[in-house]
Amino acid sequence: MLRECFYHVSQSNWAYAYDKHTIHLRVRTKRDDVMDILTITGDKYDWDRTYAEYPMKKTASDAYFDYWEASVKPKYGRLSYGFRMSAGSESVWMTESGIHDEQPAPPGGYYDFPYIHEVDMYAAPEWAKSAIFYQVIPERFANGDPSNDPDPTEPWGGQPTNDNSFGGDLQGIIDHLDYIDNLGVNAIYLTPVFHSPSNHKYDTLDYKKVDPQFGSNETLKQLVDACHARGIRVMLDAVFNHCSEHFPFFQDVVRHGEKSEYADWFHVREYPLAVRDGIPSYDTFGFFPHMPKFNTANLRVKQYLLDVAEYWIKEIQIDGWRLDVASEIDHHFWRDFRKVVKAANPDAYIVGEVWNDSMKWLLGDQFDSVMNYPFSSKVLEFFSQSAMDGYTFANSMGFLLMRYPQQTNEVIFNLLCSHDTPRVLTCVGEDKRRVKLCVVFLLTYMGTPCIYYGDEIGLTGGPDPDCRKCMEWDPDKQDNELYDFYRLLIALRKDYDVLRSGSFRFLKADPGDPRIIYERLNGHMHFTVWMNNTEEETVLSHPMETDDWKDALSGETVIPEDGIMNIKLDPLGYRILYRFL
C-alpha cells in the first residue's frame, strides 16, 4: 500500500457532524490500492466499554485517489478513532500520530472529535433540499407594465447588448406565475431588482428601492406574496461587493476627495479619483470604474449593508439571498451577515457566488451554499460531445463530491448555465438530445438544481450578453416537447425523496466508454440511471440481484436476465429505473 497517499484530518470535510448524533469520517487512499478500511472507535474516557468498529465504504474516486466514508454514532457525543487499512495479507494502522505496522494502544495519539456541538454544526434550511429553482432576469422575462418602460425601450425579442432594454418588469413575472407554477419549480431566483442605472442592475444606486423600471417595493411585495401563496420561495440577488459610481456616498468622495466623510467607505489608492490606462485609482469590480468596491471592513459600511439584508427579509419576507462576487468580500462581514439574516429568518437560504473550491465559506458560519459552476463545467464538458469517457467524468464528479460534507452537497446550488454563461442548448451544439442528458443528470444528482429561464422552451445564447435574451412567449416559437420533458423530470424529483437526499454512486463508468450508470439510494428506495452518451444505439448491462425494477417514467416492469440487467438505449438516450427496498 502506498502510505504516502493516506490522508485524513479531524476537521472540515474529512471529519464532521452530519447531525446531532452522527459523525461522518472520510479517508483518502491511492486509487485501487487499499482493499478494506476499518474505523476503530471509542470514547477516550472509557475506551474498552465503548469500543466499536465501523467498516468504511468506498464512496467516490478520482484519477488518483479513492475516498472512503463511514457514519459513526458515538453514544456520548465524543469520539477517538483510528483506521486499519488492509490489502491482501498486509494491514497498517493510521492514527493522528502516524502510520504504524502494529496497532498503537488507544486512545493516546488517536484522532479526536471532542464533542458534537449542535450549535457549531453546518445547518442549511431543510426546504433547500427539496427546492428546484428557476432563475429569472426581470428585465428579460416579460413586460407586464409598459408605463414603466425606460426610454428607449426596444421591441421585445431583439438582440441583447450590454446596455439595451426591453421593458421586462416584476409585473411581467406576476402575470406569468401560472407558467412558472405549471413547470413545477418551487423557488425563484431573481437577479438584482434594486434601483440601478444599468440594464443588469449589478451596480446598485439605492439598496432599499426597487428600480422604477421594474415597479415599486409594493410590486415586489405583491410578487413575493403571490409566490408564497403557490408554495414558491423567492431569493433575491444582493451586490454588496460594489455599487454604482452614481451611489450618493461615492459621489461625495468624487466631489470632496479625502475630505469626504465617506472616503473610508471605499478602497482609494490615490486622489483625486481618476482612471489611467484603464486602471482606476480606487478598487472596483474587475477594472470597471463605474463599479467602485466597498470597504466592508469599515463598521459604517458593514452596518449599512447588513441593514439592507435585514430590511428585505423583514419588509418583503424574501426567503434568501444570492450574493454577488461573494469571494471578494471579507469573511468577517459574511459571518456577521449570516447572524443578521438568520436572526430575521432562520429559514433563509444564503447562496454565495464563488466559482472555485468554497469550503472556507461553508463551515456553517457564512453561507448555506454556493453556485456550483465546477459542476456545470464538468457536466457540459461530458454531455456536449462523446469524446470524454465515463471513467474521466466519474473521476471529476467524485472529486467534486469529496470537496464538501454530505449536508453541503445536499443543498449546493447546481446549475447548467446562468446569466454569466452561454446557454445549455448552445453549449451542446443545439442538440436537444444532449440537453436532455444534461437535465436528467441535473435533476437526479445530489444538490439543489436551478433552471435558467427559457432553457425549458429552447432558448439559445452565447456568452453574455447573448445569454440574456428575452423570454419567448409566442407558443409557436416555444419547444413544447422540451418543456414537457422538463416538467416530467421536475415532477420525478419532487415525487421521490431519494433523488433529493439519497446517496450517490457511479455503478459503471469505464475507461474508453462514454456510457454510464449511477445510483441514488436511501433506506426505502433505489434508483438507477442509465445514460448512453454516444451517437449509436446500444445495450448497457449491469448485474442486478432483484427482479422488482420499474421504469420511473413509463411504469413498465423491467426484469434482469440471469442476474444481469440489459437496457437498450437509443443514441444519446437514457433510462431511469427504481425499486422499493
Side-chain angles (χ1 to χ4, degrees), residues 115-304:
Y115 192 76
I116 299 175
H117 287 284
E118 193 170 359
V119 70
D120 288 335
M121 285 174 45
Y122 168 98
E126 190 65 25
W127 66 264
K129 295 180 183 179
S130 302
I132 302 171
F133 273 87
Y134 188 68
Q135 182 190 355
V136 172
I137 299 178
E139 214 285 319
R140 302 295 160 83
F141 193 64
N143 188 346
D145 183 4
S147 70
N148 59 27
D149 288 0
D151 185 20
T153 294
E154 298 187 12
W156 192 259
Q159 182 63 36
T161 68
N162 288 323
D163 54 12
N164 62 352
S165 297
F166 297 97
D169 50 34
L170 297 179
Q171 187 61 50
I173 302 172
I174 294 172
D175 293 344
H176 289 86
L177 282 180
D178 282 346
Y179 171 89
I180 294 173
D181 198 11
N182 187 59
L183 183 61
V185 297
N186 52 18
I188 296 175
Y189 151 39
L190 298 178
T191 56
V193 299
F194 308 131
H195 193 195
S196 160
S198 67
N199 61 6
H200 54 73
K201 310 303 177 189
Y202 279 98
D203 49 345
T204 309
L205 183 60
D206 187 338
Y207 281 86
K208 290 189 177 180
K209 179 181 179 181
V210 167
D211 194 290
Q213 297 175 6
F214 290 168
S216 64
N217 290 20
E218 181 57 32
T219 315
L220 180 59
K221 184 69 166 70
Q222 292 171 7
L223 171 59
V224 172
D225 288 347
C227 286
H228 287 173
R230 297 168 179 265
I232 297 174
R233 312 264 183 168
V234 179
M235 180 171 71
L236 296 186
D237 205 330
V239 188
F240 294 154
N241 177 69
H242 55 271
C243 60
S244 167
E245 63 180 330
H246 302 295
F247 186 67
F249 300 164
F250 183 73
Q251 281 300 307
D252 193 86
V253 180
V254 172
R255 290 191 299 270
H256 301 108
E258 55 193 318
K259 295 181 179 179
S260 169
E261 64 174 300
Y262 302 106
D264 58 355
W265 278 52
F266 305 93
H267 299 272
V268 181
R269 295 188 301 277
E270 184 181 348
Y271 293 99
L273 303 187
V275 180
R276 299 181 179 88
D277 298 323
I279 305 296
S281 63
Y282 50 93
D283 289 348
T284 60
F285 168 61
F287 293 106
F288 298 102
H290 64 287
M291 295 184 183
K293 179 179 175 64
F294 280 122
N295 175 15
T296 49
N298 179 290
L299 294 181
R300 292 193 300 160
V301 176
K302 177 184 287 189
Q303 192 57 55
Y304 174 86

Side-chain angles (χ1 to χ4, degrees), residues 399-440:
F399 177 76
L400 293 181
L401 279 174
M402 290 298 104
R403 274 185 171 179
Y404 307 123
Q406 179 178 329
Q407 61 264 52
T408 306
N409 285 327
E410 290 171 351
V411 298
I412 198 162
F413 202 77
N414 292 333
L415 64 163
L416 297 174
C417 57
S418 75
H419 62 292
D420 285 326
T421 68
R423 285 187 175 269
V424 58
L425 185 54
T426 297
C427 288
V428 300
E430 300 193 18
D431 189 330
K432 192 166 65 172
R433 299 171 301 170
R434 292 191 177 277
V435 170
K436 290 182 177 181
L437 291 181
C438 292
V439 174
V440 168

Side-chain angles (χ1 to χ4, degrees), residues 7 49 65 135 352 500:
Y7 186 77
R49 288 199 297 175
F65 304 110
Q135 182 190 355
R500 305 188 298 271

Side-chain angles (χ1 to χ4, degrees), residues 510-522:
D510 298 330
D513 187 350
R515 305 171 304 163
I516 59 172
I517 308 170
Y518 58 90
E519 69 176 2
R520 299 298 307 274
L521 181 67
N522 64 16

Side-chain angles (χ1 to χ4, degrees), residues 57 444 502-507 517-521 526-529 549:
K57 181 180 180 180
T444 59
S503 63
F504 173 93
R505 184 174 63 138
F506 282 97
L507 300 178
I517 308 170
Y518 58 90
E519 69 176 2
R520 299 298 307 274
L521 181 67
H526 190 187
F527 264 73
T528 57
V529 183
W549 292 89

Side-chain angles (χ1 to χ4, degrees), residues 90-110:
E90 181 186 6
S91 292
V92 297
W93 284 259
M94 184 171 74
T95 66
E96 192 171 80
S97 64
I99 299 172
H100 312 273
D101 292 322
E102 301 291 337
Q103 181 179 359
Y110 277 54

